[in-house]
Amino acid sequence: QATNNYSTLKGYTARAVYTEPLGKRTLLEFSLGQSNTRNLSDKETYDYNRGNGKYDQLNDQLSNDFENRYGYTNAGFRIRNQQKKYNYALGISWQQSDLDGKIISGIKDSLISKRFQNLLPTARFQYSFSRFKTLSLNYSTSTNQPSMSQLQPVPDVSNPLNIRDGNPDLKQEYNHTLQTNLSLISPYKNKNLFFFLRGTATQNKIVNYDSLNQLTGVRKTKPVNVQGVYNLNGNFSYSLPAHF
């Protein structure tokens, strides 16, 4: 077989922010953003023609065209406060995401349309013990959208022993992330301590579900949403001068 792939991706992102002072140490921040992307892909697969020795027999099962449009609009506000020893920020934004796609295949044509709406809170706190010693805590939320290949109900049979199928009922992932940073620097003694810890909890995590046919040996893979997915990573470093 011979396969030709053509694809284009175009998009834009715009964001506007306005701040209004509330007293000497507090700011109220408003934000508005929009983003859009358009992806076109064309896949042509030809089988070998023994009659003329060329790859000119179109394989409908392995050929398809698809158009994918994804865009989101968000709007929110945040309160920021600055004190002598500490500062903090609290905010929330509303986000609406739209995913539209059209798949043209020799087997089956399909249209996909998804809309997601979420509230995304954020929080930040930073405390300065001194000029060179600080502790910060950050909480944020974000979303990940399923891709067109994960949503499309047209099976991918390019490998007949490993068939991949989409799931049009997929939900978007929703992430909660909490991060802490500690920085203790002694510039006159050349001693430094850095500590970093980050934890993430994901709702509706998209993972692949595999099933194997014991008689034929064919494995089928399908993306599904699962709960209870957590990730934790961190880093600790301490440096001091060495005398030889």
Side-chain angles (χ1 to χ4, degrees), residues 37-135:
T37 58
R38 181 171 180 255
N39 184 19
L40 300 176
S41 179
D42 180 14
K43 178 181 178 181
E44 297 177 347
T45 301
Y46 294 91
D47 292 331
Y48 181 71
N49 188 339
R50 296 182 181 274
N52 57 20
K54 298 180 179 180
Y55 294 92
D56 58 3
Q57 295 180 339
L58 182 65
N59 188 320
D60 290 334
Q61 286 188 325
L62 304 183
S63 299
N64 61 66
D65 300 332
F66 79 83
E67 178 181 355
N68 176 25
R69 296 176 181 267
Y70 173 70
Y72 69 81
T73 301
N74 58 30
F77 69 92
R78 186 172 61 160
I79 296 177
R80 296 157 50 190
N81 183 274
Q82 179 71 52
Q83 299 293 330
K84 184 177 181 180
K85 282 285 190 179
Y86 65 90
N87 65 81
Y88 66 85
L90 299 172
I92 190 170
S93 63
W94 168 83
Q95 178 177 283
Q96 177 175 292
S97 306
D98 292 286
L99 180 66
D100 296 293
K102 179 172 65 175
I103 303 170
I104 302 174
S105 172
I107 309 174
K108 177 184 177 182
D109 296 346
S110 60
L111 297 175
I112 295 175
S113 181
K114 288 279 189 178
R115 168 166 287 184
F116 306 101
Q117 293 182 343
N118 290 285
L119 290 175
L120 304 174
T122 61
R124 189 192 79 242
F125 176 80
Q126 181 174 311
Y127 186 85
S128 298
F129 302 97
S130 66
R131 182 182 176 185
F132 301 105
K133 298 179 181 180
T134 59
L135 172 67

Side-chain angles (χ1 to χ4, degrees), residues 137-155:
L137 297 171
N138 290 275
Y139 169 73
S140 62
T141 53
S142 62
T143 60
N144 293 324
Q145 320 303 323
S147 65
M148 280 296 297
S149 61
Q150 293 172 326
L151 289 169
Q152 64 174 337
V154 181

